[in-house]
Amino acid sequence: MKKILNSKETLIEDMLTGFIAAEGKRVAQSSENSQVLFRKKKKAGKVGIVSGGGSGHEPLFFGLLGKNMVDAVAIGNFFAAPTPGTVLEAIKQADQGAGVICLFGNYAGDVLNFDMGVELAEMEDIKAYNLPITDDVASAGKEEQGERRGIAGDLFVIKEVAAAAAQGRSLEECLRVGESANQRIFSIGVGISPGTNPINGQKNFELADDEIEFGLGIHGEPGIERMKMLDAKSLVQRMVDKLLIELMLFEEKEVVVCINGLGATTHLELYTVNHEVDKLLREKNFNVYDTVVGSICTTQEMAGFSITAQVLTEELKEMYQMDAYSSCYFHKEDY
Amino acid sequence: MKKILNSKETLIEDMLTGFIAAEGKRVAQSSENSQVLFRKKKKAGKVGIVSGGGSGHEPLFFGLLGKNMVDAVAIGNFFAAPTPGTVLEAIKQADQGAGVICLFGNYAGDVLNFDMGVELAEMEDIKAYNLPITDDVASAGKEEQGERRGIAGDLFVIKEVAAAAAQGRSLEECLRVGESANQRIFSIGVGISPGTNPINGQKNFELADDEIEFGLGIHGEPGIERMKMLDAKSLVQRMVDKLLIELMLFEEKEVVVCINGLGATTHLELYTVNHEVDKLLREKNFNVYDTVVGSICTTQEMAGFSITAQVLTEELKEMYQMDAYSSCYFHKEDY
């Protein structure tokens, strides 16, 4: 395995120490639990925003700590959910007196541990709710939308709920925004070549040199179909077709788009993909309000990408438009 | 080659169209030359900032178009300098009546074509100067600092000169800031595994499974030494030692740092590297004012990274502190 690390025993700790070394003006590490990082600035009466999940998907989730973004993150070991104790500590660090919402990708281990963390928080009189994000259309059908996995759609749902919290909205209002944001967001991914687990050196899946996996999950979960390599135009057409099935069900015709690289995929490819996505959505009379292109939700040095589209309501658009700053993502409406 | 593209004939065009699809609110493509992109907002009397170079290093250079950043970019074909005509058009798009500075990595082809571009601009009565950036300490010794190649140090030099321009300083003042910024910036890179040329499918270098190349250039130029894999601590020690030779020559003890991934290197590794860099610099009594961690100056899906440190003067610090927004980088002093 060609990775520059110190040891498998210290790799999470080394990474987090290096993150705090870079971001220590704004972000701190909990003295109770080194796998909890939190934003230093607090605002009394604001709903707290927690995110988190297994390590290995960086810059998610700690990269979203910031202004009008995430207040605290609960970090798990490599590809492992954060423990209930870690979730509890993140909730405590995020709590500013108006309750806390935890936003994370919908995976069984995460749901279990976040649920336990929320229960522990209630015992300490902190009102907290979980909102698992379910954007991956390849992982379950429309009738089971709530069972879908969460992938790069995390970014927009978190951004919008965090904006509602920053506006001073109540816990119930923020939750309602989150549910709306999550019901209107759809992603589809493709795996091109595997990433390597830094603990055991194993690749997370295998593919022939001329194959790709359509609908692959971000931990290497099997997709819908293994297929021969396609050019960008043909592949993106198939992917967008899957998203359009969902997008066409809404009256609103305005979307925000994220083209997310899974690690090793170049910007040359990601922007080429965006060229095709943008064309196809406009052909179907969607107005693309904004587009984010980058590698935010990754799986080590895996090659591949996902396309996310979210249908905006007036309210979600207002949330999307709010300025936001974090180490791996910012939004500024005009510059 | 496993890349999702349309054809080698259209790959630059597809990428730029996809970039404009994402950033079209703020950035436009020249109608005279599709390989020139420019920021739409102008400010009469401001010194114009041009950057550019060969494609293949994305998100550089177009990712730096933005507020208090770059006004126009001259884009070359894959790993090829922009033509003199492209440079000229970028200068024309950046010109806001107070002259233009072109900032780019110091490579023979870029220097030649930017020099010709500047001459052509003079014939059209636009005053323009070139400032090739020379931060790669592996590419030439101290006595030939001006011969060094430019790598990730581009980011800070461009940011600081652009800040001087945004402050309304004169062309001569901006150039002086740029020379100071460039003389005080030092980078060292390491190659871990190669990237692939999307035109011909060739890897840009070869290394055994247990080897790395110390000092490798961003096009795969040979480094100082081919060595066996090292752990992060030992490798970073060797790299920082090379930088310290330079940094210790200055009286000032404040630095800004960039840990730049070359493409496929994970944030797990980059933050681990930063942990070691930060520790070593502090041990030598350097105050690390700010740190950027990300993959900004890349070479396709090459694995590896560079460490950049720049010694701040009071003036450079003031330039560094100015807010800046672009698609791949932002700076906000406090958030």
Side-chain angles (χ1 to χ4, degrees), chain A residues 13-315:
Chain A
E13 184 187 327
D14 288 345
M15 169 177 73
L16 298 183
T17 310
F19 180 74
I20 295 293
E23 297 294 324
K25 279 184 199 166
R26 294 169 285 266
V27 174
Q29 193 165 25
S30 163
S31 57
E32 298 291 314
N33 181 327
S34 65
Q35 293 188 199
V36 173
L37 308 186
F38 62 90
R39 172 167 155 81
K40 289 179 177 177
K41 283 198 185 163
K42 311 275 182 198
K43 190 177 175 189
K46 188 186 92 70
V47 168
I49 303 294
V50 164
S51 188
S55 290
H57 303 295
E58 292 73 25
L60 269 193
F61 296 87
F62 55 61
L64 298 180
L65 287 162
K67 179 171 184 175
N68 301 342
M69 290 292 289
V70 171
D71 293 302
V73 287
I75 296 160
N77 288 331
F78 190 80
F79 280 5
T83 66
T86 300
V87 173
L88 171 63
E89 177 61 14
I91 291 172
K92 285 162 88 169
Q93 292 294 351
D95 180 39
Q96 290 150 80
V100 172
I101 300 182
C102 303
L103 297 138
F104 51 89
N106 184 42
Y107 297 91
D110 290 292
V111 171
L112 187 70
N113 288 4
F114 272 94
D115 279 350
M116 289 173 68
V118 159
E119 279 179 37
L120 294 170
E122 274 167 17
M123 290 162 64
E124 302 205 17
D125 288 325
I126 303 173
K127 213 170 182 178
Y129 287 102
N130 286 331
L131 207 158
I133 297 161
T134 57
D135 55 312
D136 182 359
V137 302
S139 57
K142 181 72 186 170
E143 62 290 353
E144 302 151 320
Q145 187 174 349
E147 306 301 310
R148 287 176 176 165
R149 299 184 294 246
I151 54 174
D154 290 3
L155 173 65
F156 290 160
V157 178
I158 290 170
K159 193 247 176 284
E160 289 152 357
V161 179
Q167 275 193 341
R169 295 199 185 194
S170 70
L171 190 57
E172 290 67 27
E173 273 286 285
C174 291
L175 264 177
R176 194 184 50 70
V177 167
E179 279 157 13
S180 165
N182 188 44
Q183 278 160 15
R184 293 162 171 273
I185 196 158
F186 308 99
S187 301
I188 178 92
V190 63
I192 297 168
S193 65
T196 311
N197 180 319
I199 311 276
N200 60 22
Q202 301 283 302
K203 305 276 183 196
N204 62 345
F205 58 89
E206 281 186 27
L207 272 178
D209 280 351
D210 61 346
E211 279 181 341
I212 58 177
E213 185 142 340
F214 191 82
L216 191 89
I218 59 166
H219 306 88
E221 298 94 334
I224 300 171
E225 189 184 349
R226 190 158 283 204
M227 51 173 71
K228 294 288 170 194
M229 280 283 285
L230 291 172
D231 64 9
K233 196 184 168 95
S234 314
L235 176 59
V236 171
Q237 174 82 61
R238 286 201 194 201
M239 295 172 80
V240 171
D241 281 350
K242 291 281 180 201
L243 299 180
L244 282 170
I245 293 170
E246 309 278 343
L247 302 177
M248 301 292 275
L249 297 175
F250 295 87
E251 263 180 46
E252 296 88 354
K253 289 284 170 197
E254 192 158 49
V255 293
V256 283
V257 168
C258 178
I259 312 296
N260 178 67
L262 291 170
T265 294
T266 61
H267 278 68
L268 178 63
E269 292 162 279
L270 297 178
Y271 282 116
T272 298
V273 165
N274 187 50
H275 166 43
E276 303 296 337
V277 170
D278 193 76
K279 206 166 51 182
L280 293 168
L281 290 174
R282 288 180 199 276
E283 275 172 20
K284 294 290 180 187
N285 297 315
F286 285 95
N287 175 31
V288 179
Y289 181 70
D290 199 31
T291 304
V292 173
V293 178
S295 297
I296 290 172
C297 172
T298 72
T299 304
Q300 297 297 293
E301 78 287 11
M302 177 170 159
F305 61 91
S306 58
I307 304 169
T308 298
Q310 185 189 38
V311 180
L312 293 179
T313 58
E314 277 306 308
E315 184 180 57

Side-chain angles (χ1 to χ4, degrees), chain A residues 1-6 11-23 25-26 39 41 56 58-59 62-63 65-67 78 190-193 198 207-212 229-236 263-276 278 282 288-293 295 298-301 303 305 324-335, chain B residues 1-6 11-23 25-26 39 41 56 58-59 62-63 65-67 78 190-193 198 207-212 229-236 263-276 278 282 288-293 295 298-301 303 305 324-335:
Chain A
M1 179 181 60
K2 289 191 105 168
K3 297 206 184 199
I4 302 299
L5 298 166
N6 284 321
L11 55 85
I12 305 293
E13 184 187 327
D14 288 345
M15 169 177 73
L16 298 183
T17 310
F19 180 74
I20 295 293
E23 297 294 324
K25 279 184 199 166
R26 294 169 285 266
R39 172 167 155 81
K41 283 198 185 163
E58 292 73 25
F62 55 61
L65 287 162
K67 179 171 184 175
F78 190 80
V190 63
I192 297 168
S193 65
L207 272 178
D209 280 351
D210 61 346
E211 279 181 341
I212 58 177
M229 280 283 285
L230 291 172
D231 64 9
K233 196 184 168 95
S234 314
L235 176 59
V236 171
T265 294
T266 61
H267 278 68
L268 178 63
E269 292 162 279
L270 297 178
Y271 282 116
T272 298
V273 165
N274 187 50
H275 166 43
E276 303 296 337
D278 193 76
R282 288 180 199 276
V288 179
Y289 181 70
D290 199 31
T291 304
V292 173
V293 178
S295 297
T298 72
T299 304
Q300 297 297 293
E301 78 287 11
F305 61 91
Y325 302 99
S326 66
S327 64
C328 82
Y329 166 83
F330 81 99
H331 181 80
K332 193 167 154 62
E333 196 53 22
D334 185 32
Y335 65 81
Chain B
M1 178 181 60
K2 288 192 106 169
K3 297 207 184 197
I4 303 300
L5 298 166
N6 284 321
L11 57 84
I12 304 293
E13 184 186 327
D14 288 345
M15 169 177 74
L16 298 183
T17 311
F19 180 73
I20 295 293
E23 297 294 325
K25 279 183 199 167
R26 295 170 283 266
R39 173 168 154 80
K41 283 196 185 164
E58 292 74 26
F62 56 61
L65 287 162
K67 180 172 182 175
F78 190 80
V190 64
I192 297 168
S193 65
L207 273 176
D209 280 351
D210 62 345
E211 279 180 342
I212 57 178
M229 280 284 285
L230 290 172
D231 65 8
K233 197 184 167 97
S234 314
L235 176 58
V236 171
T265 294
T266 62
H267 279 69
L268 179 63
E269 292 162 280
L270 298 178
Y271 282 117
T272 298
V273 166
N274 188 49
H275 167 43
E276 302 297 336
D278 193 75
R282 289 180 198 276
V288 179
Y289 181 71
D290 198 31
T291 303
V292 173
V293 179
S295 297
T298 72
T299 304
Q300 297 296 294
E301 78 287 10
F305 61 90
Y325 302 98
S326 66
S327 64
C328 82
Y329 165 83
F330 81 99
H331 180 80
K332 192 167 154 63
E333 196 53 23
D334 184 33
Y335 65 80

